[in-house]
Amino acid sequence: MSAELVCFEPACRACYDITEVIYNCPRCGGLLEAAYPGAAPEAGRLKALWRERRMSNLPLDQSGVWRYREFIPFLDSLEPVVTLREGNTPLLDAPRAAEYGGLKRLTFKHQGFNPTGSFKDNGMTCGAAQAVRLKMRRVACVSTGNTSASMAAYASASGLDPIIFIPHGNISYGKLAQALEYGARTFQVEANFDQILALVRTLAEKLGIYLLNSINPFRIEGQKTIMVEMMDQRDWRPPDWVVLPGGNLGNTSAFGKALREMLAWGLIERSPRLAVVQAEGSAPFYDLMHAADRSALHAVVHPETLATAIKIGDPISWPKALHEVETSGGVVEKVTEQEIADAKAIIGRCGIGSEPASAATLAGIRKLTAAGVIDRDADVVAVLTGNLLKDPDYIYRYHTGQLEAPGGAPIRSTFGNQPTVVPNDVDRIAAILGAGG
Ligand code: F0G
């Protein structure tokens, strides 16, 4: 199957060689996507092959991305690929979260089980492979934390030099620590994500550095496999809804593309609807979906949220995401800081846990079921995008009643769990714990 880069704009659809180092259409400025002209492989044969590979000890078969390599065939050789065994993330039943969300049943697809703790690894193994294929030496990204952690790991593992740019003081220490440990050259810029993205794009062009933000179409290809793996794990029975948080909207674009392509390839018979959830203070996509005119996104100039992963006011992939949400018959919701914090604590009480941005999913589900948009009986998969340990500071503050929303308003620790300081005294501790097993 051949591969090419195609402009996403319906009025343009210009085609370019798959090895061109471009991030936007040189003709019209539109976003680019990988496309694969030619007949799709037979669906039954693919499903059998992918299932068989789960038994294999070959590194690429063990990867939850490259196991599905026929679905992301942008490379002409697999030689540039480095895998850290990304993907392979579980589907977890969460009855307590289901009840909180107003559902009979809820399943989490937990991307926090990835090697660097977020869904970015699915895309980064592909982005790094393309960088190696193109004989790039240096790779760069701007990030709210997870992209940079992932890029640092995959670049270092692939022999590339990672250079990352992060908004100073606005990413969690867990994520910053990962970038440092994985050996990235790290710049903390005194600006927000949207401003730094513009800066990095100029720098990348000037210095010939390969850009690995989600504007990079090969990252999107990798993130498609999150949906493929989910369908495989469900024996190809699509859920009614897939719920995910929205920031720069790369994941929404990837999920929608995967669903469309799985339908076209005959791997599934119908598409789930996408529900994207944003934080109230950083919700330009929500505003766009609820505007009379959806032809232009109005950026939020000063985005605010404690869910720093999705603190983005000018999401680059909005035209793709809009198309995917509309095509799937989906919706966009927004939730408050309090709603995110409480939903996150509930996910924790399921024994599962996530970082704040991921918990926007459950907060959004609760609103969407209350509004009658999602049915109580619906079959829902919510994608938890990042691991609980990404942001321990937030957790400690919530449980000890010290968490404050960006404007300074206190966040109630509705489901708080305060630690108790005690002397080294058996009787005193026994008295606190009381009788009874
Ligand atoms: N959840 C987490 C944990 C994230 O890190 C991100 C994005 C999102 C959700 C939103 O995904 O951008 O595809 O809509 N983090 C990026 C980063 C922006 O730099 O790590 P999106």
Side-chain angles (χ1 to χ4, degrees), residues 78-142:
L78 293 170
E79 214 167 305
V81 175
V82 169
T83 173
L84 298 172
R85 311 300 190 274
E86 53 289 322
N88 297 306
T89 61
L91 282 178
L92 304 170
D93 272 333
R96 212 169 186 157
E99 193 190 331
Y100 183 79
L103 292 169
K104 282 201 184 136
R105 218 190 123 195
L106 174 61
T107 310
F108 288 123
K109 172 91 175 135
H110 205 327
Q111 292 301 113
F113 281 61
N114 260 297
T116 78
S118 85
F119 73 97
K120 306 291 181 181
D121 294 344
N122 284 67
M124 209 52 82
T125 184
C126 291
Q130 180 71 3
V132 172
R133 170 204 206 168
L134 296 173
K135 303 203 167 18
M136 292 289 169
R137 200 169 54 77
R138 297 193 286 184
V139 290
C141 69
V142 53

Coordinates of all heavy atoms in Angstrom, one line a residue, residues 78-142:
L78 N 10.6 -1.1 8.4 CA 10.4 -0.9 9.8 C 11.7 -0.7 10.6 O 11.7 -0.6 11.8 CB 9.7 -2.2 10.4 CG 8.2 -2.3 9.9 CD1 7.7 -3.7 10.3 CD2 7.3 -1.2 10.4
E79 N 12.8 -0.6 9.8 CA 14.1 -0.4 10.4 C 14.2 0.8 11.4 O 14.8 0.7 12.4 CB 15.1 -0.3 9.3 CG 16.5 -0.9 9.7 CD 17.4 -1.1 8.5 OE1 16.9 -1.7 7.5 OE2 18.4 -0.5 8.6
P80 N 13.6 2.0 11.0 CA 13.7 3.1 11.9 C 13.0 3.0 13.3 O 13.1 3.9 14.1 CB 13.2 4.3 11.1 CG 12.9 3.8 9.8 CD 12.8 2.3 9.8
V81 N 12.1 2.0 13.4 CA 11.2 1.9 14.6 C 11.9 1.6 15.8 O 12.7 0.6 15.9 CB 10.1 0.9 14.3 CG1 9.2 0.8 15.5 CG2 9.3 1.3 13.1
V82 N 11.7 2.3 16.9 CA 12.1 1.9 18.3 C 10.8 1.8 19.1 O 10.0 2.8 19.1 CB 13.1 3.0 18.9 CG1 13.3 2.7 20.4 CG2 14.4 2.9 18.2
T83 N 10.7 0.7 19.7 CA 9.5 0.5 20.6 C 9.9 0.4 22.1 O 10.9 -0.2 22.4 CB 8.7 -0.7 20.2 OG1 7.6 -0.9 21.2 CG2 9.5 -2.0 20.1
L84 N 9.1 1.0 22.9 CA 9.3 0.8 24.4 C 8.1 0.0 24.9 O 7.7 0.1 26.0 CB 9.4 2.2 25.1 CG 10.5 3.1 24.7 CD1 10.4 4.5 25.4 CD2 11.9 2.5 25.2
R85 N 7.5 -0.7 24.0 CA 6.3 -1.6 24.2 C 5.1 -0.7 24.6 O 4.3 -1.0 25.5 CB 6.5 -2.6 25.3 CG 7.8 -3.4 25.1 CD 7.8 -4.2 23.8 NE 8.9 -5.1 23.7 CZ 10.1 -4.8 23.3 NH1 10.4 -3.6 22.9 NH2 11.1 -5.7 23.4
E86 N 5.0 0.5 23.9 CA 3.8 1.4 24.1 C 2.5 0.7 23.8 O 2.5 -0.4 23.2 CB 4.0 2.6 23.2 CG 4.3 2.3 21.7 CD 5.7 1.7 21.5 OE1 6.6 2.1 22.1 OE2 5.7 0.7 20.7
G87 N 1.4 1.4 24.2 CA 0.1 0.8 24.0 C -0.1 -0.3 25.0 O 0.4 -0.2 26.1
N88 N -0.8 -1.3 24.6 CA -1.1 -2.4 25.5 C -1.8 -2.0 26.7 O -1.5 -2.4 27.8 CB 0.2 -3.2 25.8 CG 0.8 -3.8 24.6 OD1 0.2 -4.6 23.9 ND2 2.1 -3.5 24.4
T89 N -2.6 -0.9 26.6 CA -3.2 -0.4 27.8 C -4.6 -1.1 28.1 O -5.3 -1.4 27.1 CB -3.4 1.1 27.6 OG1 -4.3 1.4 26.5 CG2 -2.1 1.9 27.4
P90 N -4.9 -1.2 29.4 CA -6.1 -2.0 29.7 C -7.4 -1.3 29.5 O -7.5 -0.1 29.6 CB -5.9 -2.4 31.1 CG -5.1 -1.3 31.7 CD -4.2 -0.8 30.5
L91 N -8.5 -2.1 29.4 CA -9.9 -1.6 29.5 C -10.3 -2.0 30.9 O -10.3 -3.2 31.3 CB -10.8 -2.3 28.5 CG -10.7 -1.8 27.1 CD1 -11.7 -2.6 26.2 CD2 -11.1 -0.3 27.0
L92 N -10.6 -1.1 31.8 CA -10.9 -1.3 33.2 C -12.4 -1.0 33.5 O -12.8 0.2 33.2 CB -10.0 -0.5 34.1 CG -8.5 -0.7 33.8 CD1 -7.7 0.3 34.6 CD2 -8.1 -2.1 34.2
D93 N -13.1 -1.9 34.1 CA -14.5 -1.6 34.5 C -14.4 -0.8 35.8 O -13.6 -1.1 36.7 CB -15.2 -2.9 34.8 CG -15.9 -3.4 33.5 OD1 -16.2 -2.6 32.6 OD2 -16.1 -4.7 33.4
A94 N -15.3 0.2 35.9 CA -15.2 1.0 37.1 C -16.7 1.3 37.6 O -17.2 2.4 37.3 CB -14.5 2.3 36.7
P95 N -17.2 0.4 38.4 CA -18.6 0.5 38.8 C -18.9 1.8 39.6 O -19.9 2.5 39.4 CB -18.9 -0.7 39.7 CG -17.7 -1.6 39.4 CD -16.6 -0.8 38.8
R96 N -17.9 2.2 40.5 CA -18.1 3.4 41.3 C -18.2 4.6 40.4 O -19.0 5.5 40.6 CB -17.0 3.4 42.3 CG -17.3 4.0 43.6 CD -16.2 3.8 44.5 NE -16.6 4.3 45.8 CZ -16.0 3.8 46.9 NH1 -15.1 2.9 46.9 NH2 -16.4 4.3 48.1
A97 N -17.3 4.7 39.4 CA -17.3 5.8 38.5 C -18.5 5.8 37.7 O -19.1 6.9 37.3 CB -16.0 5.8 37.7
A98 N -19.0 4.7 37.3 CA -20.2 4.6 36.5 C -21.4 5.2 37.2 O -22.1 6.1 36.7 CB -20.5 3.1 36.1
E99 N -21.5 4.8 38.5 CA -22.6 5.3 39.3 C -22.5 6.9 39.4 O -23.5 7.6 39.3 CB -22.5 4.7 40.7 CG -23.8 4.9 41.5 CD -23.6 4.4 42.9 OE1 -22.8 3.5 43.1 OE2 -24.3 5.0 43.8
Y100 N -21.3 7.3 39.7 CA -21.0 8.8 39.8 C -21.4 9.5 38.5 O -21.9 10.6 38.5 CB -19.6 9.0 40.2 CG -19.3 10.5 40.4 CD1 -19.6 11.1 41.6 CD2 -18.6 11.2 39.4 CE1 -19.3 12.5 41.8 CE2 -18.3 12.6 39.6 CZ -18.6 13.2 40.8 OH -18.3 14.5 41.0
G101 N -21.1 8.8 37.4 CA -21.3 9.4 36.1 C -22.8 9.3 35.6 O -23.1 9.7 34.5
G102 N -23.6 8.6 36.4 CA -25.0 8.4 36.0 C -25.2 7.3 34.9 O -26.2 7.3 34.2
L103 N -24.2 6.3 34.9 CA -24.3 5.2 34.0 C -24.5 3.9 34.7 O -24.1 3.7 35.8 CB -23.0 5.2 33.1 CG -22.7 6.3 32.2 CD1 -21.3 6.2 31.7 CD2 -23.7 6.3 31.0
K104 N -25.0 2.9 33.9 CA -25.1 1.6 34.5 C -23.7 0.9 34.5 O -23.3 0.2 35.4 CB -26.0 0.7 33.7 CG -27.5 1.0 34.0 CD -28.3 -0.2 33.6 CE -29.8 0.1 33.8 NZ -30.6 -0.3 32.7
R105 N -22.9 1.3 33.5 CA -21.6 0.6 33.3 C -20.6 1.6 32.6 O -21.1 2.4 31.7 CB -21.7 -0.6 32.4 CG -20.9 -1.8 32.9 CD -20.9 -2.8 31.8 NE -19.5 -3.1 31.5 CZ -19.1 -3.8 30.4 NH1 -20.0 -4.3 29.6 NH2 -17.8 -3.9 30.2
L106 N -19.4 1.6 33.1 CA -18.4 2.5 32.4 C -17.1 1.8 32.4 O -16.7 1.1 33.4 CB -18.3 3.8 33.3 CG -17.2 4.8 32.8 CD1 -17.4 5.3 31.4 CD2 -17.1 6.0 33.8
T107 N -16.4 1.9 31.3 CA -15.1 1.3 31.1 C -14.1 2.4 30.8 O -14.3 3.3 30.0 CB -15.1 0.3 29.9 OG1 -16.2 -0.5 30.0 CG2 -13.8 -0.5 29.9
F108 N -12.9 2.3 31.5 CA -11.8 3.2 31.2 C -10.8 2.5 30.3 O -10.4 1.4 30.7 CB -11.2 3.7 32.5 CG -12.0 4.6 33.3 CD1 -12.3 4.3 34.7 CD2 -12.4 5.8 32.8 CE1 -13.0 5.2 35.4 CE2 -13.2 6.7 33.6 CZ -13.5 6.4 34.9
K109 N -10.4 3.2 29.3 CA -9.2 2.8 28.5 C -8.1 3.6 29.1 O -8.0 4.8 28.9 CB -9.4 3.1 27.0 CG -8.2 2.8 26.2 CD -8.1 1.4 25.6 CE -7.0 1.2 24.6 NZ -6.2 0.0 24.9
H110 N -7.2 3.0 29.9 CA -6.2 3.8 30.6 C -4.9 3.9 30.0 O -4.0 3.1 30.1 CB -6.1 3.2 32.0 CG -5.6 4.2 33.0 ND1 -4.8 5.3 32.7 CD2 -5.9 4.4 34.3 CE1 -4.6 6.0 33.8 NE2 -5.2 5.5 34.8
Q111 N -4.7 5.0 29.3 CA -3.5 5.3 28.6 C -2.3 5.6 29.5 O -1.2 5.7 29.1 CB -3.7 6.4 27.5 CG -4.6 6.0 26.4 CD -4.1 4.8 25.6 OE1 -4.7 3.8 25.6 NE2 -2.9 5.0 25.0
G112 N -2.7 5.8 30.8 CA -1.6 6.1 31.7 C -0.7 4.9 32.0 O 0.3 5.0 32.7
F113 N -1.1 3.7 31.5 CA -0.3 2.5 31.6 C 0.9 2.5 30.6 O 1.6 1.5 30.5 CB -1.1 1.3 31.5 CG -1.9 0.9 32.7 CD1 -2.9 1.8 33.2 CD2 -1.7 -0.3 33.3 CE1 -3.6 1.5 34.3 CE2 -2.5 -0.6 34.5 CZ -3.4 0.2 34.9
N114 N 1.0 3.5 29.8 CA 2.1 3.6 28.8 C 3.4 3.7 29.4 O 3.5 4.1 30.6 CB 1.8 4.7 27.8 CG 1.2 4.3 26.5 OD1 1.8 3.6 25.8 ND2 -0.1 4.7 26.3
P115 N 4.5 3.5 28.7 CA 5.9 3.5 29.3 C 6.2 4.9 29.9 O 6.9 4.9 30.9 CB 6.8 3.2 28.1 CG 6.0 2.9 26.9 CD 4.6 2.9 27.3
T116 N 5.8 6.0 29.3 CA 6.1 7.3 30.0 C 4.8 7.8 30.7 O 4.8 9.0 31.1 CB 6.7 8.4 29.1 OG1 5.7 9.0 28.3 CG2 7.8 7.8 28.2
G117 N 3.8 7.0 30.8 CA 2.6 7.4 31.6 C 1.5 8.2 30.9 O 0.6 8.7 31.6
S118 N 1.6 8.3 29.6 CA 0.5 9.0 28.9 C 0.3 8.4 27.5 O 1.1 7.7 26.9 CB 0.7 10.5 28.8 OG 1.5 10.8 27.7
F119 N -0.8 8.8 26.9 CA -1.2 8.4 25.5 C -0.2 8.9 24.4 O -0.2 8.5 23.3 CB -2.6 8.8 25.1 CG -2.7 10.3 24.9 CD1 -2.7 10.8 23.6 CD2 -2.9 11.2 25.9 CE1 -2.9 12.2 23.4 CE2 -3.1 12.6 25.7 CZ -3.0 13.1 24.4
K120 N 0.6 9.9 24.8 CA 1.6 10.4 23.8 C 2.5 9.4 23.3 O 3.0 9.5 22.2 CB 2.4 11.6 24.5 CG 1.5 12.6 25.1 CD 0.8 13.5 24.1 CE 0.0 14.6 24.8 NZ -0.8 15.4 23.9
D121 N 2.8 8.3 24.0 CA 3.7 7.3 23.6 C 3.2 6.6 22.3 O 4.0 6.2 21.5 CB 4.0 6.3 24.7 CG 4.7 6.9 25.9 OD1 5.2 8.0 25.8 OD2 4.6 6.3 27.0
N122 N 1.9 6.4 22.2 CA 1.4 5.8 21.0 C 1.8 6.6 19.7 O 2.1 6.0 18.7 CB -0.2 5.7 21.1 CG -0.7 4.6 22.0 OD1 -0.5 4.7 23.2 ND2 -1.3 3.6 21.4
G123 N 1.7 7.9 19.9 CA 2.1 8.7 18.7 C 3.6 8.9 18.5 O 4.1 9.0 17.4
M124 N 4.2 9.0 19.7 CA 5.7 9.4 19.6 C 6.5 8.3 19.0 O 7.5 8.6 18.3 CB 6.1 9.7 21.0 CG 7.2 10.7 21.1 SD 6.9 12.2 20.1 CE 5.9 13.2 21.2
T125 N 6.2 7.0 19.2 CA 7.0 6.0 18.5 C 6.9 6.1 17.0 O 7.9 5.9 16.3 CB 6.5 4.5 19.0 OG1 7.4 3.6 18.4 CG2 5.1 4.2 18.6
C126 N 5.8 6.6 16.5 CA 5.7 6.8 15.1 C 6.4 8.1 14.6 O 7.1 8.1 13.6 CB 4.2 7.0 14.7 SG 3.3 5.4 14.8
G127 N 6.2 9.2 15.4 CA 6.9 10.4 15.1 C 8.4 10.3 15.1 O 9.1 10.8 14.2
A128 N 8.9 9.5 16.1 CA 10.4 9.3 16.2 C 10.9 8.5 15.0 O 11.9 8.7 14.5 CB 10.7 8.7 17.5
A129 N 10.1 7.5 14.7 CA 10.5 6.6 13.5 C 10.6 7.4 12.2 O 11.5 7.3 11.4 CB 9.5 5.4 13.4
Q130 N 9.6 8.3 12.0 CA 9.6 9.1 10.8 C 10.8 10.1 10.9 O 11.5 10.3 9.8 CB 8.3 9.9 10.7 CG 8.2 10.8 9.5 CD 8.1 10.1 8.1 OE1 8.0 8.8 8.1 NE2 8.1 10.8 7.0
A131 N 11.2 10.6 12.0 CA 12.4 11.5 12.2 C 13.6 10.7 11.8 O 14.5 11.2 11.1 CB 12.5 12.0 13.6
V132 N 13.7 9.5 12.2 CA 14.9 8.7 11.9 C 14.9 8.4 10.4 O 16.0 8.5 9.7 CB 14.9 7.3 12.7 CG1 16.0 6.4 12.2 CG2 15.1 7.6 14.2
R133 N 13.8 8.0 9.9 CA 13.7 7.7 8.4 C 14.1 8.9 7.6 O 14.8 8.8 6.6 CB 12.2 7.4 8.1 CG 12.0 7.4 6.6 CD 10.5 7.6 6.3 NE 10.1 7.0 5.1 CZ 8.8 6.9 4.7 NH1 7.9 7.3 5.5 NH2 8.5 6.3 3.6
L134 N 13.8 10.2 8.1 CA 14.1 11.4 7.3 C 15.5 11.8 7.6 O 16.0 12.9 7.1 CB 13.1 12.5 7.7 CG 11.7 12.3 7.3 CD1 10.8 13.3 7.9 CD2 11.5 12.2 5.8
K135 N 16.3 11.0 8.4 CA 17.7 11.3 8.8 C 17.8 12.7 9.5 O 18.8 13.4 9.4 CB 18.6 11.3 7.6 CG 18.5 10.0 6.8 CD 19.7 9.7 6.0 CE 19.9 8.3 5.5 NZ 18.7 7.5 5.4
M136 N 16.8 13.0 10.3 CA 16.8 14.1 11.2 C 17.7 13.8 12.4 O 17.9 12.7 12.8 CB 15.4 14.5 11.7 CG 14.5 14.9 10.7 SD 15.0 16.6 10.2 CE 14.1 16.8 8.7
R137 N 18.3 14.9 12.9 CA 19.2 14.6 14.1 C 18.5 15.2 15.4 O 18.5 14.5 16.4 CB 20.5 15.3 13.9 CG 21.7 14.8 14.7 CD 23.0 15.4 14.2 NE 23.0 16.8 14.1 CZ 23.1 17.7 15.1 NH1 23.2 17.2 16.4 NH2 23.1 19.0 15.0
R138 N 17.9 16.3 15.2 CA 17.3 17.0 16.4 C 15.8 17.0 16.2 O 15.3 17.3 15.2 CB 17.8 18.4 16.6 CG 19.3 18.4 16.8 CD 19.8 19.7 17.3 NE 19.9 20.7 16.2 CZ 20.3 22.0 16.4 NH1 20.7 22.4 17.6 NH2 20.3 22.8 15.4
V139 N 15.1 16.8 17.3 CA 13.6 16.9 17.3 C 13.2 17.8 18.4 O 13.9 18.0 19.5 CB 13.0 15.5 17.5 CG1 13.2 14.6 16.3 CG2 13.5 14.8 18.8
A140 N 12.1 18.5 18.2 CA 11.6 19.5 19.2 C 10.1 19.5 19.3 O 9.4 19.0 18.5 CB 12.0 20.9 18.7
C141 N 9.7 20.0 20.5 CA 8.2 20.1 20.7 C 8.0 21.2 21.8 O 8.9 21.5 22.6 CB 7.5 18.8 21.1 SG 8.0 18.3 22.8
V142 N 6.8 21.8 21.8 CA 6.3 22.6 22.9 C 5.3 21.7 23.6 O 4.7 20.9 22.9 CB 5.7 23.9 22.5 CG1 4.6 23.7 21.5 CG2 5.0 24.6 23.7

